[in-house]
Structures are given as structure tokens and as C-alpha cells.
Amino acid sequence: MQIQTIKTTAFNDQKPGTSGLRKKVKVFQQTGYLENFVQSIFDTLDVPDNATLALGGDGRYFNRQAIQIIVRMAAANGFARVLVGQAGILSTPACSHIIRKYKTFGGIVLSASHNQGGINGDFGIKYNISNGGPAPEKITDSIFDLSKKITEYKIADLPEVDVDTLGQSIFNDGKFTVEVIDAVQDYADLMQELFDFSAIKKLLSSGFKMQFDAMHAVTGPYAQEIFVNRLGASESSLMNCIPSEDFGGGHPDPNLTYAEDLVKIMFAGESSPDFGAASDGDGDRNMILGKNFFVTPSDSLAVLAANATLVPAYANGIAGVARSMPTSGAVDRVAAKLNIPCYETPTGWKFFGNLMDAGKVTLCGEESFGTSSSHVREKDGLWAVLFWLNVLAKKGMSVEQILMSHWAEFGRNVYSRHDYEAIPTDAANTVIAHIKSQFPSLPGQSFGGYKVKTCDDFSYHDSIDGSISHNQGIRILFEDGSRIVFRLSGTGTEGATIRIYLEAFDPEVKNHHLDAQVALAEMIQIALKISELKERTGRDTPTVIT
Ligand code: G16
């Protein structure tokens, strides 16, 4: 096996965002662009002898080409083995599981998650460490630093590797192996260990109707194996389950705007199924719906935490919970009642890893449609769907009834997120700067019925490794416990996306049926007033409301 050292020129825009490096496919197709970033990853690591790398992606356009390049670069950079998902496909949670199960040194996930795919869409790459979770900031910072200085990369002369056939391809007299694995079976086995499959099977054969939408993305084959083959759901309960390179031309983001086919089915009146769910491009996000009912991700996390002991894997209780800062405080109330700790971290799944490794938390979640537990170190879409089915099977109540009784017990953290996508970066920055400039004068000011108590730019101190992360989102906290949070997304690839997160607490059962947009109407106006968002961006309405 010949190893070539290729001269290259550094790019200055390879800074990983909330979850790895995400750019337009055309950016990744530039000569040396992918190679530079991969070499910067490998140069950051101290790869030991006999190390194995897990590798796979969500199957989007450019996945196959990238897999071949990374296999050859892994061979040249000292890896002894690469485990590749069949056809180059691994969902993000399955990749996390593969890293943990086969004790690989780390893994590379090729995905731009919920972003659009196809030749004009997005591509992405991120590195996961040996605990199965996204690399922490000290690693991503080092990758970025090296990417700005790189002058050469290493790549082995290997023939194209067959990634479609299960089994091994051996090179270099046995010193380098590529093994194609069936990650669907591995992942389905893990789910079967965690959940009460016989209770779910009974539910699904009792006339209970579910509808799952894979959004033409990676979870299709996993859903087929788990829901149809193992749990006996009908074929018709699955939709859009054949992965495609451009996600059927859609936007594989499971929310009320982009999962509109499923939303129509679930909001069609009495004939709607009892339970609906969708997952995203790489299978780590989930949306949960009941008959004519939307469950916010923040409430979903709280309900799962409150009912965890109904699931075999969590029957003995959970150690603690964690949520990202913009996620509502609904789970905090559950944690208080269960007398377990609740941690507030910045946006980004990577911040949960240390807490899970230290055994401090079992369940984690984010308002951005992510929920998971310590069974892997990524958020896990199908896991959340199975958790809900397990809870529904055990409680014998509808999704709406479960939420209403949860709110009656804990009160309701009314919540909504408004996204303004693809705003010119300068305009978005002036919105944020304008809000920050009011930090000295906001406390004590009243807006209608709301009085500002305090405001800040959130900083996180990781109690496990001592690291500190600054500038993680602007919080405006009101006297009555309501709050408005402003953040710039770290996952977009076009201009900037401003996210406004709105939250108010309502203990009154008589108000719990209210639509969040109605209940939060005054807060929404306050957010627009403080930010001058309309004036500064020219945008009248959000692109996405969840
Ligand atoms: C990624 C991260 C999540 C984060 C989300 C939104 O999700 O893994 O932890 O909450 O982005 O980030 P932002 O608000 O910065 O766009 P995914 O599903 O895109 O990998």
C-alpha cells in the first residue's frame, strides 16, 4: 500500500459549528476541502496502534465519495480497521452505538442532519470520540486551528472499497481492514434490550394506530426492522422510509413546518392515528404527535423523565437529567419532584457527554427535537419514539391525556420557538448587538404585564472537566419566571438564523388547552420590541414556528 503526501492550501472557514462542519455540497467538492478537514481531525488525535474508526453517514449526496476518501486517509494515517455501515450509511445514534459496542477509537459521521440534501444542498462531517459522543470543544477548536495551517494531507493508494456487501476487505498484507457491518441489526437489538417490546407489540395489535415518517432519510431501514419486523406494525404505518440522496427534495427536519405530510395526517380530526412521529436526516431528532396534538420537545423530555420507570431500562429510576439552556424548565419541575439533579448546558449535544460519562445524568434533551439517554452519547430519534410507545402501552392513555395530566400535576411551561432563517449575517449581528446594548437598562423595566428581573449572555461551567463556554445565548428573565432567549443558530449554512425562544409558566389547569401562540402572544411582541428584529432585518414573520 503506497501512501501519498499531497500538498494542499488551507481554507479559513473550517470552524465546526454546533455539531461539526456543515457547508454546501459545492464547498465540500472543492479540491482538498474534505481532505484538509479530515487530516486536521487525524492530526488532532493521537491514533494508537490497532485503532479502529467507525464511519458512516446519512446517505445524502456526496456521502459515497466522501466515504471512499476517508477510508483511504484513515489507512494512511495509521488506523488498522474501519467499520463502515452498509452502503456507507449509519444513523447518528447507530454510529454512537457502534463506537461503544465495538470499542472503536472514534468515529466520523457524515451528515448535515436536518439541513436539505442533494447537489445544491448541504453536507457535513463531525468527529465522535470513544465514548460515542461528539468531540468536545477542545478537540473541535484544535481541528479548526490545524485546518488554518495545514500544508499537506496523507492518502493511501487503495482501490475503491465495496461498501455495499457485508464483510471484510483486507489490504496491505492484513495491516488494514475495511469491514462493512449491518448496523440496523445492532441498533435494533439495543432498542429491544431497553424497551418492553411485548407491551408495545400488544398495543400495536390492539387497534392503536401509529404513523411514522422517516422523511426519506436514514431511519427508514431501521424503522422497517423495528416497527414492522419486530413489533408487528403494518407497512402502511410507515411513510417516506426509502432513504434518498436529496431526501425526496424535502427538508428532513421533523417539525410542524417541514414534516407537513405527517402533520396533515395527524391533524385530520377523529380519523387521525393515535400516535405520530418523525425523525430527521441522520435520525437523531424526533417529533412526537398525538391525535390532533403536538408535543413540544421540552414537554416530551419532561414526560419521559416523569414516566421513566415504566421502561425496563430505567425501571430502577434515573440518576439525573440535563437540558440545554433554551429548552423549557418543564423537566426541572419533574427533577425537583423526583429529587434528582437537573443540569442546564449550552445548546449542543456535546455538552451532555461529560455528565453522562460521570453517571450524573440518565436522560437529556433539547428543544431542537432532541432527546436521548446514556444508552448512547447522541440524541436518538427512534429511541424517543419507542419510549413514547412504551409509555403509551403502559399507561393506556392518549398522548393528549398524558400531557394534560402531566400539566395538571406539574403546571405547564408554555413554550414556543420562532426561527428567522437565512438572514444577512450583518443584520443578524446588529439585532444581537442591539439587545446586548440594553443589558444595563433592561432590569427593572416593565413591558405590559412583564417586568425584567435580569439578563445575561449564558456561560456554562462544566463541573466535570472545568471548561467554561461563554456567549451561549442571550437570556432575558422576567420577575414571574417567564423568559425570552435569543440565539444565533450554529448549524445553518446560509446567512444567519435568529432563534427566539419564548417561555411562560402557567399552573392554571383551565388555561392548559390554550394554543402556545395565543398564550405567548404578549411575550412575542415584547421579544420583537426589545430586539427590533423586524426593523433591522425587514422580516415580518418567522420562517418556522414550533
Ligand atoms: C445540532 C446539535 C444539537 C443542537 C441543534 C441546534 O442538532 O446536535 O445539540 O440543539 O443542532 O443547534 P442550533 O440552534 O445551533 O442550530 P443536529 O440535529 O442538527 O445535529
Side-chain angles (χ1 to χ4, degrees), residues 18 22 113-114 285 349 366 368 379 487 489-491 499:
T18 311
R22 293 183 189 169
S113 187
H114 55 286
R285 295 185 174 206
W349 205 262
E366 294 185 278
S368 56
K379 54 190 191 272
R487 255 189 87 244
S489 159
T491 58
R499 304 202 193 287

Side-chain angles (χ1 to χ4, degrees), residues 175-392:
K175 293 196 198 78
F176 181 67
T177 305
V178 178
E179 185 168 346
V180 179
I181 55 170
D182 181 355
V184 172
Q185 293 304 323
D186 279 322
Y187 178 81
D189 290 348
L190 174 65
M191 293 301 115
Q192 198 154 356
E193 277 165 33
L194 301 175
F195 296 106
D196 188 341
F197 268 37
S198 54
I200 300 174
K201 204 168 179 175
K202 205 160 142 208
L203 176 75
L204 294 177
S205 65
S206 69
F208 177 95
K209 280 202 289 175
M210 75 170 271
Q211 190 72 41
F212 175 76
D213 186 350
M215 303 191 82
H216 306 277
V218 74
T219 55
Y222 296 82
Q224 179 76 28
E225 173 61 18
I226 293 170
F227 297 125
V228 177
N229 301 355
R230 299 198 186 194
L231 290 167
S234 64
E235 291 278 354
S236 62
S237 61
L238 304 186
M239 59 199 275
N240 303 324
C241 274
I242 298 177
S244 79
E245 286 194 330
D246 69 347
F247 308 113
H251 202 137
D253 195 356
N255 59 38
L256 293 172
T257 302
Y258 295 126
E260 62 170 335
D261 294 350
L262 176 69
V263 170
K264 265 191 210 135
I265 293 171
M266 294 305 300
F267 284 83
E270 262 319 294
S271 63
S272 291
D274 303 290
F275 177 72
S279 58
D280 72 331
D282 60 331
D284 56 1
R285 295 185 174 206
N286 73 89
M287 175 169 70
I288 301 295
L289 301 168
K291 196 191 280 281
N292 307 300
F293 195 85
F294 167 63
V295 183
T296 69
S298 298
D299 281 332
S300 178
L301 173 65
V303 167
L304 300 189
N307 293 286
T309 52
L310 298 177
V311 171
Y314 315 108
N316 296 328
I318 50 178
V321 291
R323 63 164 173 85
S324 64
M325 179 275 281
T327 303
S328 93
V331 74
D332 304 36
R333 297 173 192 282
V334 176
K337 190 148 194 178
L338 296 177
N339 201 18
I340 55 172
C342 176
Y343 296 84
E344 184 179 37
T345 60
T347 294
W349 205 262
K350 60 192 171 208
F351 292 102
F352 295 137
N354 281 343
L355 295 168
M356 285 195 265
D357 285 351
K360 304 257 183 219
V361 303
T362 309
L363 298 190
C364 304
E366 294 185 278
E367 49 62 42
S368 56
F369 295 85
T371 359
S372 191
S373 83
S374 48
H375 67 288
V376 287
R377 291 293 182 277
E378 285 280 6
K379 54 190 191 272
D380 191 342
L382 288 174
W383 170 91
V385 178
L386 286 163
F387 201 136
W388 265 96
L389 285 170
N390 195 143
V391 169
L392 288 162

Side-chain angles (χ1 to χ4, degrees), residues 31 62 88 110 218 229 295 371 383 401 453 491 495 520 524 544:
T31 306
F62 198 55
L110 302 172
V218 74
N229 301 355
V295 183
T371 359
W383 170 91
Q401 285 165 346
K453 186 175 174 198
T491 58
L520 294 168
I524 294 167
V544 177

Side-chain angles (χ1 to χ4, degrees), residues 459-519:
S459 287
Y460 176 61
H461 176 230
D462 185 317
S463 56
I464 311 296
D465 69 11
S467 60
I468 297 179
S469 305
H470 295 293
N471 304 323
Q472 298 296 323
I474 294 173
R475 305 189 292 183
I476 299 181
L477 309 171
F478 296 89
E479 296 275 5
D480 70 347
S482 313
R483 61 177 192 159
I484 301 172
V485 173
F486 297 89
R487 255 189 87 244
L488 292 180
S489 159
T491 58
T493 58
E494 214 180 312
T497 293
I498 299 179
R499 304 202 193 287
I500 306 180
Y501 311 80
L502 305 133
E503 178 176 359
F505 180 64
D506 194 335
E508 294 295 335
V509 172
K510 67 174 181 4
N511 298 332
H512 286 169
H513 65 284
L514 284 178
D515 181 271
Q517 303 312 313
V518 175

